[in-house]
Amino acid sequence: PPHPSNACDLSEEERKKEEMLYLTTPEAERAAREKYGMLGILKVIRMKDPDLNMLALGMDLTTLGLNLNSPENLYSTFASPWSDTPARKDPEFYLPQCYYMNPPHELKTARFQKFSPDTLFYMFFNMPRDTLQAYAAAELYNRGYKYHRDLKAWFMLQEEKGETRWTVFDPETWEKQYFDQQVDPAGFLTEDDVRVKLQTSVSGVAQASGS
């Protein structure tokens, strides 16, 4: 900050202003405490200085004829205390046409038959509570997969060398693996759980998947 000017070059009024600004004298320090410290609150409490009251407490809006209990807007065209013109009722902006969206195209479920299992698994695990999750689950059931609500995993029975074994899809490695532990068949969602009404299917599959 700038240093105080040479006192010899200042008038009496300027010298007092600099003393108050830089607190160069005990009188200036005392005056600052009385004005801005706890003592300064007394002047606000006593309400003897109208300018200080306006600055500290503001203005009583009821003295301006405003009904603060009105359910309507107090001043529909008030923009800002610093605005010289009333506010426009229309917003001062417009939405570019590129932000307006056309209605989405109708979902064609027949396309799911062309998707690979990886795509169906991606939709199931990455689109929770979405319509696509329910359709993906239904198509996976069409291909022989079953979802286990307790293990929260997709299983499929595969026969190899005359032996039937469970395989499980691991979303961490994104591949099928043999599952050597015991699987409780009662934990599988039935086809009716997946193929019922769309709204029920979405919520039922999402809840079972823990999404």
Side-chain angles (χ1 to χ4, degrees), residues 111-128:
R111 294 181 178 178
F112 283 78
Q113 300 175 8
K114 302 178 181 180
F115 293 154
S116 67
D118 285 343
T119 303
L120 297 174
F121 283 128
Y122 177 85
M123 288 190 291
F124 180 84
F125 286 109
N126 291 279
M127 301 177 181

mmCIF file with all atom_site columns, all heavy atoms in Angstrom, residues 111-128:
data_model
loop_
_atom_site.group_PDB
_atom_site.id
_atom_site.type_symbol
_atom_site.label_atom_id
_atom_site.label_alt_id
_atom_site.label_comp_id
_atom_site.label_asym_id
_atom_site.label_entity_id
_atom_site.label_seq_id
_atom_site.pdbx_PDB_ins_code
_atom_site.Cartn_x
_atom_site.Cartn_y
_atom_site.Cartn_z
_atom_site.occupancy
_atom_site.B_iso_or_equiv
_atom_site.pdbx_formal_charge
_atom_site.auth_seq_id
_atom_site.auth_comp_id
_atom_site.auth_asym_id
_atom_site.auth_atom_id
_atom_site.pdbx_PDB_model_num
ATOM 1   N N   . ARG A 1 111 ? -34.334 -55.530 -34.108 1.00 0.00 ? 111 ARG A N   1
ATOM 2   C CA  . ARG A 1 111 ? -32.907 -55.279 -34.311 1.00 0.00 ? 111 ARG A CA  1
ATOM 3   C C   . ARG A 1 111 ? -32.051 -55.965 -33.249 1.00 0.00 ? 111 ARG A C   1
ATOM 4   O O   . ARG A 1 111 ? -30.861 -56.207 -33.471 1.00 0.00 ? 111 ARG A O   1
ATOM 5   C CB  . ARG A 1 111 ? -32.644 -53.776 -34.295 1.00 0.00 ? 111 ARG A CB  1
ATOM 6   C CG  . ARG A 1 111 ? -33.287 -53.037 -35.460 1.00 0.00 ? 111 ARG A CG  1
ATOM 7   C CD  . ARG A 1 111 ? -32.970 -51.554 -35.400 1.00 0.00 ? 111 ARG A CD  1
ATOM 8   N NE  . ARG A 1 111 ? -33.543 -50.837 -36.550 1.00 0.00 ? 111 ARG A NE  1
ATOM 9   C CZ  . ARG A 1 111 ? -33.461 -49.527 -36.728 1.00 0.00 ? 111 ARG A CZ  1
ATOM 10  N NH1 . ARG A 1 111 ? -32.841 -48.779 -35.816 1.00 0.00 ? 111 ARG A NH1 1
ATOM 11  N NH2 . ARG A 1 111 ? -33.989 -48.966 -37.790 1.00 0.00 ? 111 ARG A NH2 1
ATOM 12  N N   . PHE A 1 112 ? -32.637 -56.239 -32.095 1.00 0.00 ? 112 PHE A N   1
ATOM 13  C CA  . PHE A 1 112 ? -31.861 -56.877 -31.035 1.00 0.00 ? 112 PHE A CA  1
ATOM 14  C C   . PHE A 1 112 ? -31.400 -58.276 -31.438 1.00 0.00 ? 112 PHE A C   1
ATOM 15  O O   . PHE A 1 112 ? -30.407 -58.782 -30.911 1.00 0.00 ? 112 PHE A O   1
ATOM 16  C CB  . PHE A 1 112 ? -32.686 -56.941 -29.746 1.00 0.00 ? 112 PHE A CB  1
ATOM 17  C CG  . PHE A 1 112 ? -32.776 -55.630 -29.019 1.00 0.00 ? 112 PHE A CG  1
ATOM 18  C CD1 . PHE A 1 112 ? -33.638 -54.635 -29.460 1.00 0.00 ? 112 PHE A CD1 1
ATOM 19  C CD2 . PHE A 1 112 ? -31.994 -55.375 -27.902 1.00 0.00 ? 112 PHE A CD2 1
ATOM 20  C CE1 . PHE A 1 112 ? -33.716 -53.428 -28.800 1.00 0.00 ? 112 PHE A CE1 1
ATOM 21  C CE2 . PHE A 1 112 ? -32.063 -54.169 -27.236 1.00 0.00 ? 112 PHE A CE2 1
ATOM 22  C CZ  . PHE A 1 112 ? -32.936 -53.185 -27.691 1.00 0.00 ? 112 PHE A CZ  1
ATOM 23  N N   . GLN A 1 113 ? -32.123 -58.888 -32.362 1.00 0.00 ? 113 GLN A N   1
ATOM 24  C CA  . GLN A 1 113 ? -31.724 -60.220 -32.808 1.00 0.00 ? 113 GLN A CA  1
ATOM 25  C C   . GLN A 1 113 ? -30.406 -60.184 -33.582 1.00 0.00 ? 113 GLN A C   1
ATOM 26  O O   . GLN A 1 113 ? -29.715 -61.196 -33.687 1.00 0.00 ? 113 GLN A O   1
ATOM 27  C CB  . GLN A 1 113 ? -32.825 -60.813 -33.686 1.00 0.00 ? 113 GLN A CB  1
ATOM 28  C CG  . GLN A 1 113 ? -34.167 -60.942 -32.975 1.00 0.00 ? 113 GLN A CG  1
ATOM 29  C CD  . GLN A 1 113 ? -35.272 -61.416 -33.894 1.00 0.00 ? 113 GLN A CD  1
ATOM 30  O OE1 . GLN A 1 113 ? -35.013 -61.795 -35.050 1.00 0.00 ? 113 GLN A OE1 1
ATOM 31  N NE2 . GLN A 1 113 ? -36.508 -61.402 -33.418 1.00 0.00 ? 113 GLN A NE2 1
ATOM 32  N N   . LYS A 1 114 ? -30.042 -59.007 -34.096 1.00 0.00 ? 114 LYS A N   1
ATOM 33  C CA  . LYS A 1 114 ? -28.808 -58.883 -34.873 1.00 0.00 ? 114 LYS A CA  1
ATOM 34  C C   . LYS A 1 114 ? -27.611 -58.515 -34.002 1.00 0.00 ? 114 LYS A C   1
ATOM 35  O O   . LYS A 1 114 ? -26.479 -58.544 -34.480 1.00 0.00 ? 114 LYS A O   1
ATOM 36  C CB  . LYS A 1 114 ? -28.990 -57.830 -35.964 1.00 0.00 ? 114 LYS A CB  1
ATOM 37  C CG  . LYS A 1 114 ? -30.142 -58.134 -36.919 1.00 0.00 ? 114 LYS A CG  1
ATOM 38  C CD  . LYS A 1 114 ? -30.298 -57.027 -37.954 1.00 0.00 ? 114 LYS A CD  1
ATOM 39  C CE  . LYS A 1 114 ? -31.463 -57.303 -38.894 1.00 0.00 ? 114 LYS A CE  1
ATOM 40  N NZ  . LYS A 1 114 ? -31.615 -56.226 -39.910 1.00 0.00 ? 114 LYS A NZ  1
ATOM 41  N N   . PHE A 1 115 ? -27.856 -58.151 -32.738 1.00 0.00 ? 115 PHE A N   1
ATOM 42  C CA  . PHE A 1 115 ? -26.763 -57.721 -31.872 1.00 0.00 ? 115 PHE A CA  1
ATOM 43  C C   . PHE A 1 115 ? -25.987 -58.927 -31.365 1.00 0.00 ? 115 PHE A C   1
ATOM 44  O O   . PHE A 1 115 ? -26.553 -59.999 -31.117 1.00 0.00 ? 115 PHE A O   1
ATOM 45  C CB  . PHE A 1 115 ? -27.294 -56.924 -30.682 1.00 0.00 ? 115 PHE A CB  1
ATOM 46  C CG  . PHE A 1 115 ? -27.894 -55.598 -31.059 1.00 0.00 ? 115 PHE A CG  1
ATOM 47  C CD1 . PHE A 1 115 ? -28.868 -55.011 -30.260 1.00 0.00 ? 115 PHE A CD1 1
ATOM 48  C CD2 . PHE A 1 115 ? -27.487 -54.932 -32.195 1.00 0.00 ? 115 PHE A CD2 1
ATOM 49  C CE1 . PHE A 1 115 ? -29.417 -53.793 -30.593 1.00 0.00 ? 115 PHE A CE1 1
ATOM 50  C CE2 . PHE A 1 115 ? -28.038 -53.706 -32.550 1.00 0.00 ? 115 PHE A CE2 1
ATOM 51  C CZ  . PHE A 1 115 ? -29.014 -53.135 -31.738 1.00 0.00 ? 115 PHE A CZ  1
ATOM 52  N N   . SER A 1 116 ? -24.693 -58.728 -31.182 1.00 0.00 ? 116 SER A N   1
ATOM 53  C CA  . SER A 1 116 ? -23.862 -59.785 -30.597 1.00 0.00 ? 116 SER A CA  1
ATOM 54  C C   . SER A 1 116 ? -24.117 -59.855 -29.099 1.00 0.00 ? 116 SER A C   1
ATOM 55  O O   . SER A 1 116 ? -24.627 -58.902 -28.488 1.00 0.00 ? 116 SER A O   1
ATOM 56  C CB  . SER A 1 116 ? -22.385 -59.477 -30.856 1.00 0.00 ? 116 SER A CB  1
ATOM 57  O OG  . SER A 1 116 ? -22.001 -58.307 -30.133 1.00 0.00 ? 116 SER A OG  1
ATOM 58  N N   . PRO A 1 117 ? -23.766 -60.975 -28.455 1.00 0.00 ? 117 PRO A N   1
ATOM 59  C CA  . PRO A 1 117 ? -23.927 -61.060 -26.997 1.00 0.00 ? 117 PRO A CA  1
ATOM 60  C C   . PRO A 1 117 ? -23.176 -59.958 -26.260 1.00 0.00 ? 117 PRO A C   1
ATOM 61  O O   . PRO A 1 117 ? -23.665 -59.449 -25.240 1.00 0.00 ? 117 PRO A O   1
ATOM 62  C CB  . PRO A 1 117 ? -23.377 -62.449 -26.664 1.00 0.00 ? 117 PRO A CB  1
ATOM 63  C CG  . PRO A 1 117 ? -23.563 -63.237 -27.926 1.00 0.00 ? 117 PRO A CG  1
ATOM 64  C CD  . PRO A 1 117 ? -23.350 -62.258 -29.036 1.00 0.00 ? 117 PRO A CD  1
ATOM 65  N N   . ASP A 1 118 ? -22.006 -59.575 -26.759 1.00 0.00 ? 118 ASP A N   1
ATOM 66  C CA  . ASP A 1 118 ? -21.257 -58.504 -26.094 1.00 0.00 ? 118 ASP A CA  1
ATOM 67  C C   . ASP A 1 118 ? -22.053 -57.202 -26.084 1.00 0.00 ? 118 ASP A C   1
ATOM 68  O O   . ASP A 1 118 ? -22.055 -56.468 -25.088 1.00 0.00 ? 118 ASP A O   1
ATOM 69  C CB  . ASP A 1 118 ? -19.920 -58.279 -26.794 1.00 0.00 ? 118 ASP A CB  1
ATOM 70  C CG  . ASP A 1 118 ? -18.918 -59.382 -26.476 1.00 0.00 ? 118 ASP A CG  1
ATOM 71  O OD1 . ASP A 1 118 ? -19.147 -60.100 -25.492 1.00 0.00 ? 118 ASP A OD1 1
ATOM 72  O OD2 . ASP A 1 118 ? -17.927 -59.512 -27.218 1.00 0.00 ? 118 ASP A OD2 1
ATOM 73  N N   . THR A 1 119 ? -22.727 -56.912 -27.186 1.00 0.00 ? 119 THR A N   1
ATOM 74  C CA  . THR A 1 119 ? -23.530 -55.694 -27.249 1.00 0.00 ? 119 THR A CA  1
ATOM 75  C C   . THR A 1 119 ? -24.706 -55.765 -26.291 1.00 0.00 ? 119 THR A C   1
ATOM 76  O O   . THR A 1 119 ? -25.030 -54.787 -25.608 1.00 0.00 ? 119 THR A O   1
ATOM 77  C CB  . THR A 1 119 ? -24.035 -55.464 -28.680 1.00 0.00 ? 119 THR A CB  1
ATOM 78  O OG1 . THR A 1 119 ? -22.921 -55.402 -29.582 1.00 0.00 ? 119 THR A OG1 1
ATOM 79  C CG2 . THR A 1 119 ? -24.847 -54.190 -28.779 1.00 0.00 ? 119 THR A CG2 1
ATOM 80  N N   . LEU A 1 120 ? -25.339 -56.934 -26.219 1.00 0.00 ? 120 LEU A N   1
ATOM 81  C CA  . LEU A 1 120 ? -26.469 -57.094 -25.300 1.00 0.00 ? 120 LEU A CA  1
ATOM 82  C C   . LEU A 1 120 ? -26.019 -56.970 -23.847 1.00 0.00 ? 120 LEU A C   1
ATOM 83  O O   . LEU A 1 120 ? -26.695 -56.331 -23.029 1.00 0.00 ? 120 LEU A O   1
ATOM 84  C CB  . LEU A 1 120 ? -27.137 -58.458 -25.530 1.00 0.00 ? 120 LEU A CB  1
ATOM 85  C CG  . LEU A 1 120 ? -27.763 -58.656 -26.908 1.00 0.00 ? 120 LEU A CG  1
ATOM 86  C CD1 . LEU A 1 120 ? -28.260 -60.088 -27.059 1.00 0.00 ? 120 LEU A CD1 1
ATOM 87  C CD2 . LEU A 1 120 ? -28.908 -57.664 -27.131 1.00 0.00 ? 120 LEU A CD2 1
ATOM 88  N N   . PHE A 1 121 ? -24.876 -57.540 -23.514 1.00 0.00 ? 121 PHE A N   1
ATOM 89  C CA  . PHE A 1 121 ? -24.358 -57.415 -22.147 1.00 0.00 ? 121 PHE A CA  1
ATOM 90  C C   . PHE A 1 121 ? -23.999 -55.969 -21.839 1.00 0.00 ? 121 PHE A C   1
ATOM 91  O O   . PHE A 1 121 ? -24.196 -55.485 -20.723 1.00 0.00 ? 121 PHE A O   1
ATOM 92  C CB  . PHE A 1 121 ? -23.133 -58.321 -21.959 1.00 0.00 ? 121 PHE A CB  1
ATOM 93  C CG  . PHE A 1 121 ? -23.477 -59.764 -21.773 1.00 0.00 ? 121 PHE A CG  1
ATOM 94  C CD1 . PHE A 1 121 ? -22.871 -60.744 -22.554 1.00 0.00 ? 121 PHE A CD1 1
ATOM 95  C CD2 . PHE A 1 121 ? -24.405 -60.159 -20.828 1.00 0.00 ? 121 PHE A CD2 1
ATOM 96  C CE1 . PHE A 1 121 ? -23.181 -62.086 -22.381 1.00 0.00 ? 121 PHE A CE1 1
ATOM 97  C CE2 . PHE A 1 121 ? -24.726 -61.500 -20.647 1.00 0.00 ? 121 PHE A CE2 1
ATOM 98  C CZ  . PHE A 1 121 ? -24.108 -62.468 -21.435 1.00 0.00 ? 121 PHE A CZ  1
ATOM 99  N N   . TYR A 1 122 ? -23.471 -55.275 -22.831 1.00 0.00 ? 122 TYR A N   1
ATOM 100 C CA  . TYR A 1 122 ? -23.128 -53.872 -22.618 1.00 0.00 ? 122 TYR A CA  1
ATOM 101 C C   . TYR A 1 122 ? -24.385 -53.063 -22.286 1.00 0.00 ? 122 TYR A C   1
ATOM 102 O O   . TYR A 1 122 ? -24.386 -52.245 -21.356 1.00 0.00 ? 122 TYR A O   1
ATOM 103 C CB  . TYR A 1 122 ? -22.445 -53.292 -23.857 1.00 0.00 ? 122 TYR A CB  1
ATOM 104 C CG  . TYR A 1 122 ? -22.137 -51.820 -23.714 1.00 0.00 ? 122 TYR A CG  1
ATOM 105 C CD1 . TYR A 1 122 ? -20.968 -51.392 -23.098 1.00 0.00 ? 122 TYR A CD1 1
ATOM 106 C CD2 . TYR A 1 122 ? -23.034 -50.857 -24.188 1.00 0.00 ? 122 TYR A CD2 1
ATOM 107 C CE1 . TYR A 1 122 ? -20.685 -50.034 -22.955 1.00 0.00 ? 122 TYR A CE1 1
ATOM 108 C CE2 . TYR A 1 122 ? -22.764 -49.505 -24.045 1.00 0.00 ? 122 TYR A CE2 1
ATOM 109 C CZ  . TYR A 1 122 ? -21.588 -49.107 -23.428 1.00 0.00 ? 122 TYR A CZ  1
ATOM 110 O OH  . TYR A 1 122 ? -21.327 -47.768 -23.281 1.00 0.00 ? 122 TYR A OH  1
ATOM 111 N N   . MET A 1 123 ? -25.455 -53.282 -23.031 1.00 0.00 ? 123 MET A N   1
ATOM 112 C CA  . MET A 1 123 ? -26.689 -52.550 -22.764 1.00 0.00 ? 123 MET A CA  1
ATOM 113 C C   . MET A 1 123 ? -27.259 -52.915 -21.396 1.00 0.00 ? 123 MET A C   1
ATOM 114 O O   . MET A 1 123 ? -27.780 -52.056 -20.679 1.00 0.00 ? 123 MET A O   1
ATOM 115 C CB  . MET A 1 123 ? -27.711 -52.835 -23.866 1.00 0.00 ? 123 MET A CB  1
ATOM 116 C CG  . MET A 1 123 ? -27.374 -52.173 -25.186 1.00 0.00 ? 123 MET A CG  1
ATOM 117 S SD  . MET A 1 123 ? -28.718 -52.290 -26.385 1.00 0.00 ? 123 MET A SD  1
ATOM 118 C CE  . MET A 1 123 ? -28.686 -54.042 -26.747 1.00 0.00 ? 123 MET A CE  1
ATOM 119 N N   . PHE A 1 124 ? -27.152 -54.173 -21.018 1.00 0.00 ? 124 PHE A N   1
ATOM 120 C CA  . PHE A 1 124 ? -27.716 -54.588 -19.736 1.00 0.00 ? 124 PHE A CA  1
ATOM 121 C C   . PHE A 1 124 ? -26.961 -53.967 -18.566 1.00 0.00 ? 124 PHE A C   1
ATOM 122 O O   . PHE A 1 124 ? -27.567 -53.460 -17.619 1.00 0.00 ? 124 PHE A O   1
ATOM 123 C CB  . PHE A 1 124 ? -27.681 -56.119 -19.626 1.00 0.00 ? 124 PHE A CB  1
ATOM 124 C CG  . PHE A 1 124 ? -28.243 -56.605 -18.319 1.00 0.00 ? 124 PHE A CG  1
ATOM 125 C CD1 . PHE A 1 124 ? -29.607 -56.774 -18.148 1.00 0.00 ? 124 PHE A CD1 1
ATOM 126 C CD2 . PHE A 1 124 ? -27.409 -56.896 -17.244 1.00 0.00 ? 124 PHE A CD2 1
ATOM 127 C CE1 . PHE A 1 124 ? -30.127 -57.214 -16.938 1.00 0.00 ? 124 PHE A CE1 1
ATOM 128 C CE2 . PHE A 1 124 ? -27.913 -57.336 -16.035 1.00 0.00 ? 124 PHE A CE2 1
ATOM 129 C CZ  . PHE A 1 124 ? -29.282 -57.495 -15.886 1.00 0.00 ? 124 PHE A CZ  1
ATOM 130 N N   . PHE A 1 125 ? -25.643 -53.973 -18.601 1.00 0.00 ? 125 PHE A N   1
ATOM 131 C CA  . PHE A 1 125 ? -24.855 -53.508 -17.457 1.00 0.00 ? 125 PHE A CA  1
ATOM 132 C C   . PHE A 1 125 ? -24.662 -51.995 -17.440 1.00 0.00 ? 125 PHE A C   1
ATOM 133 O O   . PHE A 1 125 ? -24.398 -51.429 -16.376 1.00 0.00 ? 125 PHE A O   1
ATOM 134 C CB  . PHE A 1 125 ? -23.487 -54.195 -17.453 1.00 0.00 ? 125 PHE A CB  1
ATOM 135 C CG  . PHE A 1 125 ? -23.538 -55.638 -17.033 1.00 0.00 ? 125 PHE A CG  1
ATOM 136 C CD1 . PHE A 1 125 ? -23.322 -56.647 -17.960 1.00 0.00 ? 125 PHE A CD1 1
ATOM 137 C CD2 . PHE A 1 125 ? -23.815 -55.985 -15.727 1.00 0.00 ? 125 PHE A CD2 1
ATOM 138 C CE1 . PHE A 1 125 ? -23.371 -57.982 -17.581 1.00 0.00 ? 125 PHE A CE1 1
ATOM 139 C CE2 . PHE A 1 125 ? -23.870 -57.311 -15.331 1.00 0.00 ? 125 PHE A CE2 1
ATOM 140 C CZ  . PHE A 1 125 ? -23.647 -58.317 -16.261 1.00 0.00 ? 125 PHE A CZ  1
ATOM 141 N N   . ASN A 1 126 ? -24.799 -51.335 -18.587 1.00 0.00 ? 126 ASN A N   1
ATOM 142 C CA  . ASN A 1 126 ? -24.501 -49.904 -18.642 1.00 0.00 ? 126 ASN A CA  1
ATOM 143 C C   . ASN A 1 126 ? -25.723 -49.023 -18.831 1.00 0.00 ? 126 ASN A C   1
ATOM 144 O O   . ASN A 1 126 ? -25.585 -47.800 -18.881 1.00 0.00 ? 126 ASN A O   1
ATOM 145 C CB  . ASN A 1 126 ? -23.511 -49.621 -19.774 1.00 0.00 ? 126 ASN A CB  1
ATOM 146 C CG  . ASN A 1 126 ? -22.135 -50.171 -19.487 1.00 0.00 ? 126 ASN A CG  1
ATOM 147 O OD1 . ASN A 1 126 ? -21.341 -49.563 -18.773 1.00 0.00 ? 126 ASN A OD1 1
ATOM 148 N ND2 . ASN A 1 126 ? -21.854 -51.348 -20.028 1.00 0.00 ? 126 ASN A ND2 1
ATOM 149 N N   . MET A 1 127 ? -26.905 -49.619 -18.912 1.00 0.00 ? 127 MET A N   1
ATOM 150 C CA  . MET A 1 127 ? -28.118 -48.818 -19.067 1.00 0.00 ? 127 MET A CA  1
ATOM 151 C C   . MET A 1 127 ? -29.159 -49.240 -18.043 1.00 0.00 ? 127 MET A C   1
ATOM 152 O O   . MET A 1 127 ? -30.222 -49.748 -18.386 1.00 0.00 ? 127 MET A O   1
ATOM 153 C CB  . MET A 1 127 ? -28.674 -48.964 -20.486 1.00 0.00 ? 127 MET A CB  1
ATOM 154 C CG  . MET A 1 127 ? -27.696 -48.526 -21.548 1.00 0.00 ? 127 MET A CG  1
ATOM 155 S SD  . MET A 1 127 ? -28.330 -48.770 -23.226 1.00 0.00 ? 127 MET A SD  1
ATOM 156 C CE  . MET A 1 127 ? -26.939 -48.190 -24.189 1.00 0.00 ? 127 MET A CE  1
ATOM 157 N N   . PRO A 1 128 ? -28.861 -49.064 -16.748 1.00 0.00 ? 128 PRO A N   1
ATOM 158 C CA  . PRO A 1 128 ? -29.801 -49.506 -15.708 1.00 0.00 ? 128 PRO A CA  1
ATOM 159 C C   . PRO A 1 128 ? -31.103 -48.719 -15.759 1.00 0.00 ? 128 PRO A C   1
ATOM 160 O O   . PRO A 1 128 ? -31.122 -47.539 -16.073 1.00 0.00 ? 128 PRO A O   1
ATOM 161 C CB  . PRO A 1 128 ? -29.028 -49.237 -14.409 1.00 0.00 ? 128 PRO A CB  1
ATOM 162 C CG  . PRO A 1 128 ? -28.058 -48.162 -14.754 1.00 0.00 ? 128 PRO A CG  1
ATOM 163 C CD  . PRO A 1 128 ? -27.669 -48.413 -16.172 1.00 0.00 ? 128 PRO A CD  1
#
